[in-house]
Each structure stands twice: as C-alpha cells, then as structure tokens.
Amino acid sequence: NAGVTQTPKFRILKIGQSMTLQCAQDMNHNYMYWYRQDPGMGLKLIYYSVGAGITDKGEVPNGYNVSRSTTEDFPLRLELAAPSQTSVYFCASSLQGTDGRDTEAFFGQGTRLTVV
Amino acid sequence: QQQVKQSPQSLIVQKGGISIINCAYENTAFDYFPWYQQFPGKGPALLIAIRPDVSEKKEGRFTISFNKSAKQFSLHIMDSQPGDSATYFCAASTPAGFQKLVFGTGTRLLVSP
C-alpha cells in the first residue's frame, strides 16, 4: 500500500492563477481531509469528506473547493490564488471503526505551495 | 479561536532525559486526544492517542497523561533519543465519527547527543 499520495510536492503559483492539488489513498478509507499548515499555527482543517459525493467545510474553507467522485481521490482546487494561500497542504484519510469511532488518520507528505 | 493550547513552543533535552509537552483544551465535547510526530518534509504521523475514559496510556517510551477535570493532557518521552528530534502536535476531536482534528501549534523538540 502506498497510503496517502499527494501531488505535486512543490508548486509556485502567480497571484490569480488556479491549480488543483491531488490526493489519492489506497486504503479504502471512507473519510478524507485537507489541512493547511502555517508556521507556528498547527494544522487547520480546510474541507473534509465522509464518503464519495459528500463534502463539507472545515475551519478555513474560503478560497478552496473540493470534490469526491470516488472513494480513492479527494482533489483540492484553488481558484484565484492569493499570497495568503502560501502554505503546506496535507491530505489525510481515516476509516470508521467497527465501534462507530474512527481509526487513526494517515497523512500524505504534503504539498508546499508558494503564491507570488 | 484556538481550542487547543500547546506548550512549550520549543524544547531542548539531553539524550536520556525526559521530554514533557503540555496541552490544554476548552471544548468539553472532545473525546479523542492524539499526539502526532512530524519530521521535516514529512506529514504528521500518529504517535499515541488517548480517550478520556483512562488517565494514562503508555506505549514504549511514550506516555500520555490525561486530566479530565483540568482539561489538560501531556506527552512524556522517557529516555529521549536524538532520533526523537521532531515537531510534536497535540490534537483533539469530538465524537462525530470522523476526525475533524483541532491541532495545537506544535512543539519543536531537539534532543542533544
């Protein structure tokens, strides 16, 4: 198993450009998440999905969009990139356990995005 | 609004010493408290986690102590090793059936040889 795979690893965008951060997991996890990590700020939840076709906003969703057409993939779309979106983005996934509680979240290696 | 406060921001410990990182939370609905370890250029990885029905959980050299009444939990790393040098994040989530984790701001640990 590859786990959670994110592409690209690094990207520089100009202000106003758009891009899609890709995330794929091969663990058949039903839950997937996007976090951003800023220096000294910990990780903040952008969007999450509890299954294919179902997504919802997290703490900092403005400027982002997501879709979940399959269990495996959860792309994050940035429209009209702004310098405030310079950050490291992490995708994660987890599985609902048999007791209804979820198991641990597995994180990808991150995408470092710079908007100039 | 920061719901999980973590301290210290950075920590230097000698090899063989004990590293202690503390977290405090506000939301009494939190029922899952994991600690994540992150090495430079890597994603966070689950180190150890606790639920509030126990006051302590130990896995090898890593121990979580949990104080429900004080709304605090801490990570103790016994016999700290240079390979433990990393950033550690505490986190918390509510019983929503999935991990909408709220993270602390992180502690950069350096274990000197």
Side-chain angles (χ1 to χ4, degrees):
Chain A
N1 287 351
V4 179
T5 303
Q6 290 183 238
T7 55
K9 288 187 169 54
F10 303 94
R11 183 71 185 268
I12 298 175
L13 275 183
K14 293 184 178 179
I15 295 172
Q17 287 186 321
S18 61
M19 76 164 293
T20 300
L21 281 66
Q22 301 291 344
C23 176
Q25 53 91 10
D26 61 358
M27 297 174 283
N28 202 31
H29 286 175
N30 45 344
Y31 304 143
M32 296 188 75
Y33 319 82
W34 274 105
Y35 289 89
R36 60 177 287 172
Q37 183 178 32
D38 299 311
M41 297 295 291
L43 287 83
K44 293 191 182 298
L45 183 64
I46 304 172
Y47 269 96
Y48 65 97
S49 169
V50 300
I54 306 170
T55 63
D56 206 347
K57 297 177 181 178
E59 184 181 357
V60 289
N62 292 344
Y64 307 95
N65 278 300
V66 294
S67 60
R68 184 108 180 261
S69 57
T70 67
T71 299
E72 295 78 19
D73 301 298
F74 190 39
L76 178 71
R77 178 81 176 167
L78 279 73
E79 305 281 3
L80 298 175
S84 62
Q85 294 178 305
T86 294
S87 188
V88 181
Y89 291 84
F90 288 100
C91 179
S93 71
S94 66
L95 181 68
Q96 185 176 24
T98 53
D99 61 354
R101 288 172 158 171
D102 51 321
T103 59
E104 72 173 278
F106 290 84
F107 284 78
Q109 293 210 349
T111 295
R112 184 174 295 273
L113 175 67
T114 302
V115 182
V116 297
Chain B
Q1 179 186 4
Q2 184 184 350
Q3 297 187 54
V4 179
K5 294 184 178 180
Q6 183 172 348
S7 63
Q9 190 173 21
S10 62
L11 182 62
I12 300 176
V13 173
Q14 284 197 327
K15 179 182 176 181
I18 302 173
S19 305
I20 302 174
I21 305 171
N22 300 299
C23 283
Y25 62 96
E26 301 165 6
N27 187 348
T28 55
F30 288 148
D31 81 332
Y32 177 70
F33 302 91
W35 284 90
Y36 281 84
Q37 181 187 55
Q38 185 180 31
F39 293 104
K42 303 293 185 182
L46 180 67
L47 187 62
I48 187 172
I50 197 169
R51 296 195 186 270
D53 49 350
V54 296
S55 60
E56 185 175 282
K57 183 174 182 179
K58 183 176 181 180
E59 290 184 0
R61 296 184 294 109
F62 302 93
T63 300
I64 299 179
S65 296
F66 183 80
N67 186 330
K68 188 174 181 178
S69 61
K71 293 187 286 186
Q72 295 176 346
F73 59 110
S74 60
L75 175 69
H76 292 64
I77 306 175
M78 311 300 288
D79 187 26
S80 298
Q81 299 297 312
D84 297 331
S85 298
T87 299
Y88 293 81
F89 292 94
C90 62
S93 68
T94 57
F98 47 87
Q99 292 192 20
K100 289 172 64 178
L101 293 165
V102 178
F103 282 85
T105 51
T107 296
R108 184 171 293 183
L109 172 66
L110 176 63
V111 181
S112 59

